[in-house]
Amino acid sequence: MMKKKMNPILPDEYRMIDDFELKNRIIEKKEQYSSRLVILGHHYQRDSVIELADLTGDSLELCQKAARQRKADFIVFCGVQFMAESADILSEENQIVQIPDPLAGCPLADFANIEGVEYAWQKITDICKDQKIIPITYINSDAELKAFCGRHEGITCTSSNAAKVVKWALERFDKIFFFPDQHLGRNTASAMGISSKQILLWNEDNLSDEEIDGAKVILWNGYCHVHTAFTPEHVQKTRSQFPDVKIIVHPESSKEVVDASDASGSTGQIIQYVENAPAGSTIAIGTETNLVNRLNQMYPDKKIIPLVRSFCPNMFKINLNNLCWTLDNLGTLNVVEVSDAIKHDAKIALNRMLAL
Ligand code: 13P
Ligand code: SF4
């Protein structure tokens, strides 16, 4: 049995290697392991990593792709922790999921922990005794919260299927408790016609029992600093600079920004929007810089600009150096292991979403 170790500190020998050699060494490993190794890359990864990934996608696509990798013994996830955890939850027992830097977390996911969510759930369900309430966790969350949803008839969602999940939930339940991203929750509920009066931000001290009882959707108070950097002023300024511009933003942006834009969508949906736009279009995008820059390079016949530059430092923690280091230590280094009990319950919530 190989010894597994969690280590965020890249050894010096891997810092010294230049990108050309790193790339060659990574390609050699890919050839050596062939279908036994799959490298997944989220759209926010730097170009050099995306170039070497076997499969790329948004959170939902990567979840689906990870679940289909039955031949692979090793899944190396170039993304952030919650994504690698989801891959581990959906993988077979004999498959090993690794992340090149275990410190690549997601500050949005960290807004909610199991103790806080259980406390809020207890209060809400005590107050709304005659209502059926469903917990929905955005996939950007700790595995324990997915397990919580699995145990309470709940479900996960991503930014590309949130509308579908919320619609499904409202057909079966009276009320939604949505965590941890308030903006995705609010944008999705509003787009479905739920009035702002019926959308409540969870704040245990300042809410009356009547308010909690009357709400259709209760939102956790979390947000992504990368996407809340966009403001309605950025939208106005871009429109005055480029009168023909189309603006698309990620739904982790505030409702004011989404309302002022032409469209909103997951990273996969943003890529599709750019692809479908006619040549000569000017498109301003409100999402992470690495993806916006890549789209700009991929579509020279369109003018692709950032709404404003906004960067996810956690996604950027993955690089060719730690990817090469991981591939040299397949099966042992920075293995992502969700405990069996959490895996079991979290899988229920994830599979409920994947079945929709
Ligand atoms: P997507 O599901 O749109 O790829 O979003 C993931 C994410 O972390 C956005 O900040
Ligand atoms: Fe998390 Fe925001 Fe980075 Fe996405 S962009 S991984 S939500 S911090």
Side-chain angles (χ1 to χ4, degrees):
M1 176 100 169
M2 285 182 285
K3 197 163 159 31
K4 294 175 186 167
K5 43 185 193 293
M6 202 47 109
N7 184 0
I9 313 295
L10 185 74
D12 278 348
E13 54 180 295
Y14 285 92
R15 288 177 207 274
M16 314 295 203
I17 316 173
D18 66 40
D19 278 6
F20 182 77
E21 190 188 335
L22 285 168
K23 189 175 163 181
N24 284 336
R25 283 176 60 167
I26 292 168
I27 291 172
E28 254 175 52
K29 284 281 170 192
K30 280 165 61 109
E31 285 169 358
Q32 181 189 344
Y33 282 87
S34 184
S35 60
R36 290 183 61 210
L37 165 68
V38 172
I39 301 176
L40 300 176
H42 183 265
H43 292 312
Y44 290 161
Q45 290 293 296
R46 58 179 87 205
D47 288 349
S48 53
V49 169
I50 288 290
E51 212 185 298
L52 293 167
D54 298 300
L55 301 165
T56 59
D58 64 19
S59 307
L60 178 64
E61 289 163 338
L62 289 174
C63 234
Q64 292 165 328
K65 288 174 181 175
R68 279 189 227 120
Q69 300 312 309
R70 294 302 180 225
K71 272 198 204 155
D73 295 324
F74 307 106
I75 300 172
V76 175
F77 209 116
C78 300
V80 290
Q81 270 287 349
F82 75 84
M83 297 179 172
E85 277 182 5
S86 299
D88 183 48
I89 293 164
L90 294 168
S91 66
E92 297 288 318
E93 219 174 293
N94 60 319
Q95 294 181 300
I96 295 181
V97 177
Q98 290 169 265
I99 186 164
D101 186 340
L103 295 183
C106 170
L108 161 59
D110 293 342
F111 266 102
N113 64 15
I114 188 67
E115 290 79 15
V117 165
E118 273 176 344
Y119 176 79
W121 178 254
Q122 192 60 52
K123 279 206 145 188
I124 295 166
T125 48
D126 277 353
I127 292 166
C128 313
K129 282 201 172 62
D130 54 347
Q131 295 186 40
K132 271 185 85 186
I133 309 168
I134 179 170
I136 303 181
T137 187
Y138 186 27
I139 195 149
N140 298 40
S141 59
D142 196 88
E144 278 195 85
L145 299 187
K146 297 180 178 84
F148 173 88
C149 288
R151 283 195 298 277
H152 292 91
E153 295 181 81
I155 188 165
T156 60
C157 76
T158 74
S159 50
S160 57
N161 65 13
K164 202 189 245 185
V165 170
V166 167
K167 182 174 178 291
W168 173 89
L170 287 173
E171 284 163 4
R172 290 160 178 81
F173 294 82
D174 303 310
K175 194 192 288 293
I176 290 172
F177 179 33
F178 190 100
F179 39 87
D181 186 27
Q182 58 165 300
H183 298 292
L184 179 66
R186 187 178 295 109
N187 286 323
T188 308
S190 304
M192 297 186 66
I194 298 175
S195 75
S196 57
K197 278 195 196 128
Q198 286 188 296
I199 304 173
L200 208 66
L201 194 62
W202 173 251
N203 176 342
E204 51 170 304
D205 298 326
N206 289 336
L207 295 174
S208 66
D209 289 6
E210 289 69 32
E211 283 174 305
I212 293 172
D213 195 55
K216 199 79 187 148
V217 180
I218 299 178
L219 304 171
W220 196 259
N221 197 358
Y223 60 88
C224 161
H225 61 98
V226 178
H227 289 92
T228 47
F230 307 121
T231 65
E233 290 70 39
H234 292 136
V235 175
Q236 278 158 18
K237 198 171 159 206
T238 306
R239 288 206 193 282
S240 59
Q241 245 178 312
F242 305 98
D244 294 332
V245 73
K246 291 285 180 207
I247 300 177
I248 181 162
V249 296
H250 195 280
E252 287 172 14
S253 311
S254 74
K255 182 173 178 305
E256 292 70 31
V257 169
V258 170
D259 287 350
S261 302
D262 297 291
S264 71
S266 69
T267 56
Q269 290 162 341
I270 290 172
I271 294 170
Q272 204 60 51
Y273 186 89
V274 171
E275 205 170 296
N276 294 344
S281 306
T282 301
I283 304 171
I285 305 180
T287 198
E288 211 275 343
T289 286
N290 277 287
L291 175 58
V292 182
N293 287 347
R294 187 170 317 119
L295 287 169
N296 180 41
Q297 282 161 23
M298 280 169 68
Y299 296 95
D301 60 333
K302 300 169 196 180
K303 187 178 176 69
I304 312 293
I305 51 172
L307 188 56
V308 69
R309 270 174 60 87
S310 192
F311 172 72
C312 178
N314 281 285
M315 285 283 183
F316 207 65
K317 284 179 181 159
I318 312 296
N319 51 37
L320 293 187
N321 309 67
N322 51 32
L323 177 56
C324 182
W325 182 37
T326 306
L327 298 185
D328 284 346
N329 293 278
L330 277 178
T332 55
L333 180 73
N334 296 329
V335 173
V336 178
E337 277 181 310
V338 178
S339 76
D340 286 347
I342 291 176
K343 210 180 231 185
H344 174 272
D345 293 345
K347 206 171 183 167
I348 297 172
L350 279 166
N351 279 339
R352 218 169 255 148
M353 169 187 81
L354 292 173
L356 278 189

